[in-house]
Amino acid sequence: MQPYQKFLSEVLIPEQELQERIRELGKQISEAYTGKDLHLICILRGGVMFLTDLMRSISVPHSIDFMAISSYGAGTRQASGHVRLTMDLRDDIQGRNVVLVEDIVDSGYTLASVLGLLATRNPASLKVCTLLDKSERRETEVSLDYVGFEIPNKYVFGYGLDLDEYYRDLPFIGVVNEEKYTPPED
Ligand code: PRP
């Protein structure tokens, strides 16, 4: 038995389904950005698996960059700008067609903060591609342009999403067995 299995109650999205959907998203993005300069920005760390598969499904030339943010903690989540930039982009995005790549949009606060920040840098366009949308949990309105899967309000891990920093490597999205897994205190 693999170590992750005791924390897994069910596979929500199997590998093949994930990969098929990512290929479709890649095709849609390729069609939308044909003849345009496309710049993908991945928010570390959860979006990494998705980014690397997505970019292999995008047939138009594109560049990538990364940024990292850290949340100020649960108590401040409702304040706007609750995230702190811990690693900035390497390249300027002024005049570029940016697609922000995320693993999951939950409350929406992370995305809202990042979009607000990026908008101040005057990109030519700014769109969002998220693999997972847990819209039931939304607390602030954010506009999503490309969505892989709408998911129920379940605690998920795998394919970039961690369980206390582990299991990001799993090729599927699983639901956490909350009877077996106790999250660490904030
Ligand atoms: C996750 C995810 C999003 C954010 C979504 O990141 O990657 O960035 O939470 O939540 P929200 O919509 O409620 O703001 P996390 O802070 O877990 O960091 P990680 O990507 O390094 O795992």
Side-chain angles (χ1 to χ4, degrees):
M1 177 163 143
Q2 296 289 327
Y4 71 82
Q5 279 171 317
K6 70 175 173 201
F7 301 126
L8 179 70
S9 70
E10 59 169 314
V11 172
L12 185 67
I13 311 173
E15 180 175 4
Q16 194 184 335
E17 211 178 311
L18 272 177
Q19 294 299 332
E20 277 169 15
R21 183 72 187 119
I22 292 167
R23 276 195 289 277
E24 287 172 10
L25 290 173
K27 194 160 173 261
Q28 273 181 43
I29 292 173
S30 303
E31 284 165 6
Y33 289 86
T34 299
K36 293 184 184 162
D37 168 55
L38 170 61
H39 189 53
L40 304 176
I41 293 179
C42 175
I43 304 177
L44 296 171
R45 288 170 270 196
V48 165
M49 290 277 274
F50 179 40
L51 174 80
T52 57
D53 281 336
L54 181 67
M55 59 191 289
R56 282 177 284 192
S57 296
I58 294 178
S59 57
V60 297
H62 56 277
S63 52
I64 60 169
D65 204 350
F66 298 88
M67 65 193 299
I69 51 166
S70 128
S71 159
Y72 284 116
T76 56
R77 277 186 100 72
Q78 296 203 9
S80 63
H82 80 289
V83 297
R84 181 168 52 96
L85 193 61
T86 56
M87 190 191 90
D88 206 344
L89 300 171
R90 194 173 73 176
D91 297 332
D92 192 2
I93 59 168
Q94 180 157 3
R96 307 202 67 185
N97 294 300
V98 172
V99 174
L100 197 57
V101 177
E102 260 286 28
D103 54 337
I104 186 166
V105 181
D106 193 322
S107 70
Y109 285 120
T110 303
L111 189 58
S113 302
V114 171
L115 286 173
L117 172 70
L118 296 183
T120 65
R121 299 180 180 185
N122 302 315
S125 64
L126 181 54
K127 304 277 185 192
V128 176
C129 177
T130 182
L131 179 65
L132 307 176
D133 178 11
K134 203 191 266 187
S135 61
E136 268 179 62
R137 297 247 306 171
R138 200 75 87 251
E139 293 179 32
T140 187
E141 202 182 321
V142 280
S143 157
L144 307 177
D145 303 283
Y146 303 96
V147 175
F149 300 88
E150 167 80 37
I151 61 163
N153 185 12
K154 292 183 175 178
Y155 186 3
V156 290
F157 74 123
Y159 198 76
L161 292 94
D162 69 307
L163 253 194
D164 197 16
E165 293 307 328
Y166 292 92
Y167 309 123
R168 293 188 195 268
D169 54 302
L170 298 177
F172 56 82
I173 299 286
V175 175
V176 178
N177 180 342
E178 295 190 66
E179 285 173 10
K180 297 278 170 58
Y181 176 75
T182 317
E185 303 263 317
D186 250 355

